[in-house]
Amino acid sequence: GGRRGVLHRAGVVNCNGRVYPISCLRREAERYAREQVAARAAFGYLDHPDYDCDCDGFSTVCRRRASHLVLETEWQRDALVGTCLVLDDTEAGTRVRRAYLSGEVMGASSRGTATLMEREDGTVVVGNDFTLIAFDYVLEPSTPGAFLMPLGHRYGGLGHIKRCGGVGEKGSGLGGNDG
């Protein structure tokens, strides 16, 4: 089934202490939509692979290990929102489906490479050389409010979900502090 929610946010400090400037995140999101989503090749994993993974590698996505396919993306203010399809024909897709059926709600986390620059206040700014590889499903996304909800289901709030930053605490998680 389909899932929809925030995939990423620009200009806000995430739980990893990182900020993705709007210019580089928009550029990469547009490239990703044009090259991966439009080609129906925007697959992601259940959890990030290890950076030094000896299987497919961190910088590639293998269809047989994928849990989902990103079908579309759009910007809503500072949030990149997407619709994903959980795959029926992979082990990881089956695990995601089971997690949702048992009441878990998964989040999205970007996988990419970039130079990181630390500010005096300890915040880390993602460099303009950021390259987006994929959006993976995770239990605790670092992006505030980045939870993917089943299409056709309405949730009254996300009070049972561990979250950071206070963004998207109620409702669909698509807006900022939309109360």
Side-chain angles (χ1 to χ4, degrees), residues 12 52 57 59 69 71 109 128 143 149 168 174:
V12 298
D52 59 354
S59 298
L69 172 67
L71 299 175
S109 182
N128 198 39
T143 298
M149 300 300 178
L174 299 181

Side-chain angles (χ1 to χ4, degrees), residues 71-94:
L71 299 175
E72 64 180 6
T73 60
E74 67 174 316
W75 283 97
Q76 293 182 9
R77 295 182 302 259
D78 68 341
L80 179 65
V81 175
T83 302
C84 302
L85 177 67
V86 176
L87 300 173
D88 290 332
D89 61 346
T90 66
E91 180 182 336
T94 300

Side-chain angles (χ1 to χ4, degrees), residues 15-96:
C15 289
N16 294 335
R18 294 184 189 146
V19 175
Y20 290 76
I22 187 78
S23 59
C24 74
L25 188 55
R26 274 196 187 270
R27 181 198 71 237
E28 279 303 294
E30 289 170 8
R31 183 194 58 78
Y32 182 77
R34 187 176 59 252
E35 295 177 7
Q36 301 297 316
V37 176
R40 293 188 60 86
F43 296 102
Y45 291 168
L46 172 58
D47 291 322
H48 295 308
D50 293 331
Y51 188 77
D52 59 354
C53 177
D54 63 356
C55 50
D56 315 324
F58 181 83
S59 298
T60 60
V61 180
C62 174
R63 167 67 170 86
R64 68 180 160 73
R65 293 191 58 219
S67 61
H68 62 281
L69 172 67
V70 178
L71 299 175
E72 64 180 6
T73 60
E74 67 174 316
W75 283 97
Q76 293 182 9
R77 295 182 302 259
D78 68 341
L80 179 65
V81 175
T83 302
C84 302
L85 177 67
V86 176
L87 300 173
D88 290 332
D89 61 346
T90 66
E91 180 182 336
T94 300
R95 289 175 57 205
V96 168

Side-chain angles (χ1 to χ4, degrees), residues 94-111:
T94 300
R95 289 175 57 205
V96 168
R97 186 174 311 282
R98 284 186 191 143
Y100 274 96
L101 289 172
S102 70
E104 295 281 349
V105 176
M106 305 293 286
S109 182
S110 65
R111 182 173 10 136

Side-chain angles (χ1 to χ4, degrees), residues 133-154:
I133 298 167
F135 290 103
D136 295 325
Y137 273 22
V138 295
L139 284 176
E140 296 181 16
S142 63
T143 298
F147 293 99
L148 298 156
M149 300 300 178
L151 293 173
H153 289 78
R154 182 144 180 91

